[in-house]
Amino acid sequence: MQRRQFLKFSAATAAANLVGCQLPATTDTQHDGLPSAVHWRELSEQLTGSVLRPSANDFERQKKAANARYDDITTAAIIQCATTSDVQLAIHFVVQYQLPFAVRSGGHSYTGLSSTSGVLIDIGPLNQVHLKDDIASIGAGAKLGDVYAILGQQQRSIPAGSCASVGIAGLVLGGGLGIADRRFGLTCDALRRVELVTASGDILYCSASEHPELFWALRGGGGGQFGIATQFEFATFATAPVRNYIGRYPLQEGNKVLEKWQQWLKSLPGEIWTQATVWFNGQPTSQPEIQLRACSIGHPDLLSDYWHQLEHQLRGIWSEVDMQDHHYLDFMLSDCAGMEMPECKLPNQHERGQLKRVAMAGSSDIFNEYLPLSALHHLLNAIRKRHQQGFRGGLMLTSMGGAIAKVQQSESAFAHRQAVLSAQYLFSGPVGTPEAMVQEGAMWVNQMRKQMRPWSTNGAYLNYTDALLKDWPQAYYGDNYVALQQLKRQYDPGNVFRFAQSIRPA
Ligand SMILES: Cc1cc2nc3c(=O)[nH]c(=O)nc-3n(C[C@H](O)[C@H](O)[C@H](O)COP(=O)(O)OP(=O)(O)OC[C@H]3O[C@@H](n4cnc5c(N)ncnc54)[C@H](O)[C@@H]3O)c2cc1C
């Protein structure tokens, strides 16, 4: 690839709000030429991992991310890193030749932040998971499915998300929500230590006692901001069977269902996690419903007692309720029932991967107060209208609070400690959905935020990135943004790790 082409791709990438890291204005390693085949070969020989060029078998499969929206991006090369020193070499290489690049762990960035027309630094092979003295050491390329499977063999786990193919790195660096968060905190609250390779190629260890200010930033400050994480250490918890209730209610009764659900949620102990979802497909023949879920890790009787109170509150409304008890591991890997671990991946993550990719866009809201009836009315009307207009999409209202709120606001860069609810507005279509349709969906989800502004904090969860957010520093980081900018100046003064919504050095 010629530099002109490279730069053209780079500009197109930036315009599409994707990652496209530029280099510092001054560096003592600037070169005029692009790397030749010899340079690539030399790099490849030094790596424990490998370099894939577009002519390589399987290149097309491996360059794809979770979101099929970015399938058409033409990637120049993939550097697959299997060790920390591979990551140092990769950073050195892209800096030396001034190549645009993106970093990928699980590839689930909503807005394609781990897709690039430049060099993809893929941490996927750095995926070992070990448990010693209840502390889990997890390679930054590990996927949640592997984390759950390996720790689960020893009846331990970490609080994290529900989708097996999501990468631990992106998840924990942005916070990490999941069914265990009200009980055990966010994924980043369980983090004890991070090994990080900075833009200068240095390896830093960050913990409560080593670079504590950077450790603060790595817990909620977001992926790809301060360097490439290579290894994490987490405190783990003992697993227990999961009791799970699912109740289905007609959307016409939505205001009452959500009003009662919120009243119930106010009284819930941290042992119980709950979520309300609506999925709609725009088909005139389908009647969307509200699904209420509640689950607990252990404490089955406590959950049942509370659930029966909710059912009592909702009596008179048609419903269909299902309760099941699951082994913890089966529950966390429920997307992968009957699959072997290599199959419990996206096809781009493993040649045997069988999980489904989609083309999607999302946006989120943070609420520090429960939603009054007027807000619910507004929210559900917007959903009904969208369905009636023939569009597909989804809404998720998820409980926060519990252990999340017990961590002081100042203890980590995660900005939404006082939230009682998060909302997610989603567009999702099959692979091959035309970009114009996904773009329209992206505008709708972003509009939903604006419509709910009278009741929201204006906050947004940065792991549900929305490229159309204009006030993203405030939305993602709130008052933490200034401190993050100062740390950016300290640890990445040349702004090597840069993309459309990256922290700007102060
Ligand atoms: C299907 C699906 C389900 C999800 N479920 C949940 C959920 O239950 N809970 C939740 O909190 N979130 C959830 N998310 C959001 C998810 O947390 C974010 O998309 C997260 O960024 C994904 O991390 P990743 O490593 O898979 O993605 P990637 O796209 O690989 O990375 C995300 C960002 O982190 C950077 N990054 C990746 N690896 C590194 C590294 N080693 N060092 C530094 N930066 C790095 C990337 O450059 C990018 O900017 C979900 C997303 C999807 C698509």
Side-chain angles (χ1 to χ4, degrees):
M1 177 176 266
Q2 298 303 302
R3 177 186 291 281
R4 253 194 17 231
Q5 276 176 288
F6 225 127
L7 293 178
K8 212 164 80 188
F9 278 123
S10 182
T13 303
N17 243 351
L18 307 177
V19 77
C21 295
Q22 307 295 307
L23 288 193
T26 56
T27 153
D28 54 9
T29 53
Q30 282 187 348
H31 283 234
D32 286 338
L34 281 166
S36 66
V38 174
H39 298 122
W40 282 109
R41 198 172 56 244
E42 279 170 5
L43 172 67
S44 172
E45 282 165 6
Q46 292 174 68
L47 293 171
T48 305
S50 47
V51 171
L52 292 186
R53 306 299 308 279
S55 57
N57 277 345
D58 237 15
F59 184 87
E60 279 304 304
R61 178 181 69 79
Q62 298 204 40
K63 68 140 217 206
K64 285 180 183 156
N67 192 348
R69 189 178 181 188
Y70 303 106
D71 281 2
D72 290 342
I73 292 175
T74 319
T75 302
I78 307 175
I79 304 179
Q80 294 180 318
C81 299
T83 62
T84 300
S85 83
D86 281 1
V87 173
Q88 290 178 293
L89 288 165
I91 292 180
H92 180 72
F93 192 81
V94 294
V95 168
Q96 181 180 17
Y97 292 104
Q98 304 183 38
L99 306 177
F101 69 95
V103 183
R104 177 181 297 171
S105 170
H108 280 67
S109 164
Y110 281 17
T111 50
L113 296 177
S114 60
S115 296
T116 176
S117 54
V119 177
L120 182 59
I121 302 181
D122 179 7
I123 313 299
L126 237 168
N127 60 3
Q128 293 76 14
V129 180
H130 301 287
L131 184 70
K132 191 167 172 251
D133 300 332
D134 295 344
I135 295 288
S137 300
I138 301 180
K143 314 298 178 282
L144 295 187
D146 294 323
V147 172
Y148 291 135
I150 294 168
L151 300 182
Q153 285 163 6
Q154 294 164 82
Q155 287 75 50
R156 308 291 303 178
S157 197
I158 58 169
S162 49
C163 183
S165 54
V166 167
I168 186 67
L171 182 97
V172 64
L173 295 170
L177 303 174
I179 65 152
D181 57 21
R182 283 170 51 85
R183 172 105 184 268
F184 298 109
L186 301 168
T187 312
C188 70
D189 297 335
L191 190 62
R192 295 292 174 265
R193 197 170 193 233
V194 184
E195 181 184 82
L196 184 84
V197 182
T198 63
S200 56
D202 294 330
I203 300 173
L204 298 185
Y205 294 94
C206 309
S207 66
S209 55
E210 309 152 284
H211 301 286
E213 66 299 331
L214 188 52
F215 186 56
W216 171 86
L218 295 174
R219 288 172 294 146
Q225 305 280 9
F226 298 98
I228 301 183
T230 46
Q231 193 74 28
F232 302 108
E233 285 177 15
F234 289 97
T236 58
F237 64 82
T239 59
V242 174
R243 175 158 289 187
N244 186 42
Y245 279 92
I246 299 181
R248 298 184 175 83
Y249 306 85
L251 187 59
Q252 297 97 290
E253 303 277 4
N255 291 359
K256 187 165 177 205
V257 171
L258 289 185
E259 191 195 17
K260 298 287 179 197
W261 173 71
Q262 287 189 111
Q263 273 169 15
W264 174 75
L265 165 50
K266 268 183 210 171
S267 68
L268 275 192
E271 284 81 2
I272 299 172
W273 174 93
T274 181
Q275 184 176 61
T277 53
V278 182
W279 288 105
F280 53 93
N281 61 15
Q283 301 293 321
T285 50
S286 90
Q287 298 281 344
E289 50 186 28
I290 291 197
Q291 203 180 85
L292 301 184
R293 280 181 65 196
C295 64
S296 64
I297 301 168
H299 305 283
D301 295 338
L302 180 78
L303 174 58
S304 288
D305 286 350
Y306 273 95
W307 182 269
H308 294 142
Q309 289 172 24
L310 176 64
E311 279 193 333
H312 184 71
Q313 292 294 315
L314 293 172
R315 69 191 178 279
I317 299 178
W318 178 91
S319 65
E320 210 170 61
V321 175
D322 181 42
M323 188 282 279
Q324 288 191 4
D325 288 320
H326 304 262
H327 288 297
Y328 176 83
L329 191 51
D330 292 345
F331 188 74
M332 297 314 288
L333 295 180
S334 52
D335 287 350
C336 301
M339 295 180 193
E340 292 178 12
M341 280 324 286
E343 295 163 343
C344 177
K345 300 268 183 315
L346 297 172
N348 56 300
Q349 294 175 334
H350 197 285
E351 67 270 19
R352 290 176 56 198
Q354 290 194 11
L355 298 179
K356 294 272 174 290
R357 298 169 66 243
V358 293
M360 55 85 62
S363 195
S364 67
D365 257 328
I366 297 289
F367 301 104
N368 283 3
E369 308 283 342
Y370 292 101
L371 295 171
L373 208 49
S374 54
L376 295 176
H377 189 74
H378 205 85
L379 180 64
L380 293 179
N381 270 354
I383 299 289
R384 285 189 203 101
K385 191 166 148 206
R386 183 81 177 159
H387 171 66
Q388 281 156 9
Q389 288 170 339
F391 293 101
R392 70 176 92 207
L395 162 72
M396 290 183 177
L397 288 173
T398 307
S399 57
M400 291 182 68
I404 302 173
K406 293 204 173 113
V407 176
Q408 290 298 311
Q409 184 79 37
S410 59
E411 273 183 48
S412 74
F414 184 79
H416 315 299
R417 292 282 171 192
Q418 295 315 310
V420 293
L421 279 179
S422 67
Q424 209 183 159
Y425 317 109
L426 288 159
F427 168 86
S428 160
V431 173
T433 301
E435 170 56 16
M437 205 180 276
V438 190
Q439 231 171 59
E440 197 279 337
M443 285 193 290
W444 177 73
V445 297
N446 182 265
Q447 283 297 325
M448 284 300 295
R449 252 181 75 77
K450 291 198 184 116
Q451 289 190 38
M452 295 305 288
R453 181 65 192 96
W455 302 281
S456 77
T457 62
N458 199 30
Y461 175 38
L462 83 79
N463 271 351
Y464 301 151
T465 39
D466 173 355
L468 301 179
L469 271 187
K470 291 207 168 61
D471 53 352
W472 59 266
Q474 183 59 30
Y476 293 150
Y477 300 114
D479 294 344
N480 291 335
Y481 190 63
V482 174
L484 287 164
Q485 285 189 289
Q486 283 158 1
L487 289 167
K488 181 78 175 168
R489 157 118 3 249
Q490 189 179 344
Y491 288 100
D492 182 17
N495 206 11
V496 168
F497 293 96
R498 188 162 90 180
F499 49 92
Q501 294 181 342
S502 62
I503 297 162
R504 310 283 188 259

